[in-house]
Amino acid sequence: MIETAQPFNRLIDLASGRIAEASTITYRHLSDMRGWFADADAEAALIAENPLIYEVHYGYNAPSIDGQLGFGTTLLYPGRIGDEYYMTKGHYHRKADRAEIYYGLSGEGELLLQTRDGATTVQHIAPGVVAYIPAYHAHRTINTGRETFVFLSVYPADAGNDYESIAELGFAALLVERDGKPQVVPSPRYHTQA
Ligand code: S6P
Ligand code: ZN
């Protein structure tokens, strides 16, 4: 038998990103992201407070098989660790040839994309903006604003998330606040693999 989902719909609250009847909600606090921000001293100073950085609300329990689609919302809170803005961990897809769509719902921020050779690009996402994440690109979102940045993601259900490649070196670029404004700077930690 071919496994498919039944037809269904979900209501997303556009302002909050909450999905009525979400199947799962994942919470990422600073303690779940130790070592992911560049400034270790700033991380250490905040770890007792352990701020909530983002939530992912999954629309349904997608079967991770070829041909199915998963979707969910990300609620990325405003804030910084040192001068680096709150961000998602970021990942390549485990099935690296899987692409993805992000659609801005509320607040705004940046989508940082990176290829395996360390080339990065940044796309701005605001309400109504669709961003296309091509296959083979790592992707991370960063909240450079003052409100919660909320977006919808739609992805092949079998894509999977490879965090290990990012955990090792991070991304080649960071989004930091300089003179009150977001700026893209090279990451001191990043180097291309020999
Ligand atoms: C999944 C998709 C998003 C992210 C979410 C959190 O392919 O890209 O749902 O999972 O934005 O980011 P991360 O990097 O912690 O999975
Ligand atoms: Zn993804």
Side-chain angles (χ1 to χ4, degrees):
M1 195 182 86
I2 300 169
E3 193 185 344
T4 64
Q6 296 301 311
F8 69 96
N9 61 23
R10 288 284 183 271
L11 180 64
I12 300 174
D13 182 275
L14 298 181
S16 71
R18 296 188 168 277
I19 305 178
E21 300 175 70
S23 61
T24 319
I25 303 176
T26 300
Y27 296 91
R28 294 258 187 253
H29 290 86
L30 183 58
S31 58
D32 303 309
M33 298 181 73
R34 292 197 86 148
W36 289 70
F37 290 93
D39 186 340
D41 294 338
E43 181 200 278
L46 280 166
I47 202 70
E49 189 183 317
N50 200 17
L52 177 61
I53 312 288
Y54 63 101
E55 303 176 19
V56 186
H57 295 227
Y58 293 92
Y60 82 115
N61 192 11
S64 54
I65 52 176
D66 186 19
Q68 307 301 312
L69 293 174
F71 69 94
T73 52
T74 302
L75 288 57
L76 178 53
Y77 292 103
R80 280 182 282 132
I81 306 298
D83 59 5
E84 193 175 12
Y85 294 103
Y86 281 11
M87 63 187 185
T88 58
K89 285 179 148 187
H91 57 273
Y92 290 93
H93 287 150
R94 213 165 273 295
K95 288 200 175 167
D97 63 352
R98 298 323 198 228
E100 180 164 5
I101 290 287
Y102 281 1
Y103 182 61
L105 300 181
S106 124
E108 53 191 298
E110 307 299 328
L111 167 64
L112 176 63
L113 296 155
Q114 176 169 299
T115 53
R116 285 276 177 192
D117 59 7
T120 57
T121 49
V122 177
Q123 298 279 328
H124 188 68
I125 300 183
V129 174
V130 177
Y132 184 80
I133 299 165
Y136 302 105
H137 284 67
H139 39 291
R140 160 181 288 165
T141 44
I142 301 113
N143 188 346
T144 52
R146 304 266 178 259
E147 299 164 38
T148 305
F149 173 31
V150 179
F151 60 93
L152 171 72
S153 38
V154 184
Y155 47 90
D158 65 348
N161 294 9
D162 163 18
Y163 296 111
E164 292 80 4
S165 302
I166 307 299
E168 204 183 335
L169 295 173
F171 279 68
L174 307 178
L175 263 288
V176 297
E177 187 160 292
R178 291 284 150 78
D179 301 322
K181 287 194 216 114
Q183 196 174 331
V184 182
V185 298
S187 164
R189 183 157 81 98
Y190 187 85
H191 57 89
T192 45
Q193 262 145 343

